[in-house]
Amino acid sequence: MDMLKDLASLQFEYGVPEEDRIWLYLQGRSRGLMIEACAHATFFCKLLYNLRASLNENQNSRQLSIVSLNAATTEELKVGIIGGGHLGKQLAHTLLQLVPIPAESLRISTRRPETLGELQKLKIKCFYQNANLVSWADVIFLCCLPSQLPNICLEIQTSLSKTSIVYSFVAAIPLPRLKLLLSHTNILRPQYWYGEDSVNIWGANKEIIAALQDPTILQATCPFSPAGGIILNIKWLEGVFYAVLNICTARNMAHSQVLQLLSDLFLSMHFEDCGKDAASCPKFQLTDFVSKAYGKNLSQERPFPWFDLTAVQLRETPFSQHLSSNPLLQDHLTHLYCDSFGISLTNEQPVISTGLPSQ
């Protein structure tokens, strides 16, 4: 097959009529969207995986510890995927290899589990019991069709705990509708749109896992990068921060400790220019996440309130202004994002901000 792969007659474009070739860019766009979706889900799971380890260490030692995004830990994060189509399968492979999530901590519920023989050989449990999956998992990825979602929500809503995080890839169902269908507020939903300059940098022949080891492709998936023509609504990143706050609140952790933990988790990656003046590195403050009036009445030992993640992603929050107006914070988060995939930015690879509003 290697001898035949460059033959023109075997290429996808060969059978496309000349008049229809103007639409070929959609192929690259679709692939780019898949890569971005898997990258952001992987980054989120890496954060949760290591956050839980930090919280466990803190509970045992009563002291915060810095945990690298690439550090191996024994803390178990249970991830469930509803939907065994192309996205569900690609996501499973990516999480399994790049987080990495152990096979016993990853399960898939789909109408046709018999089609997932490849994943079952990897010791991933594949079945058709949505409610059981949801009651087991800490994070649930919705990778189903929009037409299937109402019935799925009806099946799983009573099995969701308050701390369960639902991560929806169903683009056709907006957050308010999803909140209503699930009777749940701990929901993340990345939103993507297409920029004016669409350049196909996504690589037609690379597997998604291999693509995410390519510095050019990985940087294009960065939350603050417009490269590749696919742009992530930065409200997703706000949702990630507030999801972390909710996990700490569920453990009744004092907000003063949480702020230190956030700095350790999100701001632990320092780049060369930052290292020259460590005092200028950003640190999180209480009023970065709650209003001044609320923060004034919050004692040091009190936890953060429980946040509605759907509201965070739909409205302005105290963190919205802080994130959009702080380039140094954006730089730290970009370096952290790339480092979590094993790629370090250099001075020759500057951070590019979208310059777009948060909504």
Side-chain angles (χ1 to χ4, degrees):
M1 292 303 297
D2 288 340
M3 296 173 60
L4 301 177
K5 69 177 182 178
D6 292 327
L7 289 179
S9 59
L10 296 181
Q11 303 303 308
F12 174 80
E13 295 84 354
Y14 183 79
V16 179
E18 191 66 35
E19 62 272 18
D20 292 334
R21 295 201 171 197
I22 60 172
W23 303 110
L24 287 176
Y25 76 94
L26 293 175
Q27 184 186 24
R29 178 177 287 185
S30 175
R31 176 171 170 76
L33 194 59
M34 178 75 72
I35 291 173
E36 293 237 359
C38 289
H40 299 147
T42 299
F43 177 67
F44 179 62
C45 285
K46 279 176 177 282
L47 285 173
L48 294 193
Y49 191 76
N50 290 280
L51 170 67
R52 289 165 65 88
S54 265
L55 290 174
N56 188 54
E57 289 179 15
N58 180 52
Q59 186 174 10
N60 293 334
S61 66
R62 306 307 299 171
Q63 293 180 352
L64 294 173
S65 60
I66 300 175
V67 178
S68 166
L69 281 179
N70 292 318
T73 68
T74 58
E75 182 74 7
E76 181 184 19
L77 174 69
K78 293 176 288 188
V79 176
I81 298 173
I82 296 181
H86 185 51
L87 175 58
K89 287 187 284 191
Q90 292 288 352
L91 180 62
H93 280 292
T94 306
L95 296 179
L96 198 64
Q97 294 192 43
L98 295 186
V99 173
I101 292 176
E104 60 270 19
S105 298
L106 180 62
R107 298 180 183 179
I108 299 180
S109 179
T110 176
R111 293 178 301 170
R112 299 182 61 197
E114 69 277 5
T115 65
L116 302 181
E118 181 183 355
L119 293 175
Q120 291 175 354
K121 289 178 182 178
L122 297 174
K123 308 300 182 183
I124 296 175
K125 289 187 178 180
C126 304
F127 49 81
Y128 184 30
Q129 296 172 326
N130 293 334
N132 288 350
L133 178 80
V134 166
S135 62
W136 169 84
D138 301 308
V139 181
I140 303 100
F141 288 99
L142 298 180
C143 302
C144 56
L145 297 173
S147 59
Q148 299 169 342
L149 191 61
N151 286 336
I152 289 174
C153 290
L154 189 62
E155 286 181 65
I156 69 176
Q157 62 175 220
T158 57
S159 300
L160 286 167
S161 69
K162 184 178 181 180
T163 58
S164 300
I165 300 175
V166 177
Y167 192 115
S168 176
F169 286 115
V170 189
I173 307 297
L175 267 172
R177 174 66 174 160
L178 191 56
K179 177 182 177 179
L180 183 64
L181 288 171
L182 288 171
S183 299
H184 193 66
T185 63
N186 219 28
I187 304 171
L188 283 174
R189 177 178 172 268
Q191 297 183 61
Y192 303 94
W193 69 84
Y194 303 106
E196 296 179 2
D197 300 324
S198 182
V199 180
N200 186 8
I201 63 171
W202 303 107
N205 299 318
K206 288 184 178 179
E207 297 291 335
I208 288 182
I209 294 170
L212 291 175
Q213 305 304 304
D214 183 320
T216 300
I217 293 177
L218 180 66
Q219 288 181 68
T221 70
C222 176
F224 295 103
S225 173
I230 300 175
I231 301 169
L232 171 68
N233 188 335
I234 209 63
K235 295 295 286 182
W236 169 84
L237 187 55
E238 289 184 44
V240 168
F241 270 87
Y242 281 96
V244 169
L245 293 181
N246 279 350
I247 292 172
C248 296
T249 297
R251 299 218 180 186
N252 203 35
M253 191 174 180
H255 77 265
S256 55
Q257 285 186 308
V258 175
L259 292 173
Q260 181 61 51
L261 177 60
L262 288 179
S263 294
D264 292 341
L265 189 64
F266 287 97
L267 305 178
S268 58
M269 278 303 304
H270 300 286
F271 45 97
E272 185 177 345
D273 292 341
C274 171
K276 294 176 182 177
D277 184 12
S280 67
C281 290
K283 294 291 183 183
F284 293 117
Q285 307 295 326
L286 177 60
T287 52
D288 293 338
F289 301 100
V290 298
S291 67
K292 291 181 180 179
Y294 187 92
K296 186 178 181 180
N297 297 314
L298 194 64
S299 65
Q300 289 291 316
E301 297 306 313
R302 289 277 303 279
F304 276 98
W306 183 267
F307 294 101
D308 180 338
L309 297 189
T310 63
V312 165
Q313 294 166 87
L314 293 172
R315 305 173 191 166
E316 285 295 308
T317 67
F319 194 58
S320 301
Q321 180 63 29
H322 180 64
L323 183 60
S324 63
S325 63
N326 195 329
L328 193 58
L329 174 58
Q330 295 178 18
D331 285 353
H332 273 79
L333 296 177
T334 298
H335 279 75
L336 174 73
Y337 178 85
C338 292
D339 185 76
S340 72
F341 289 90
I343 293 176
S344 297
L345 294 178
T346 65
N347 290 337
E348 288 73 33
Q349 297 170 312
V351 177
I352 303 175
S353 174
T354 63
L356 295 170
S358 58
Q359 293 194 71

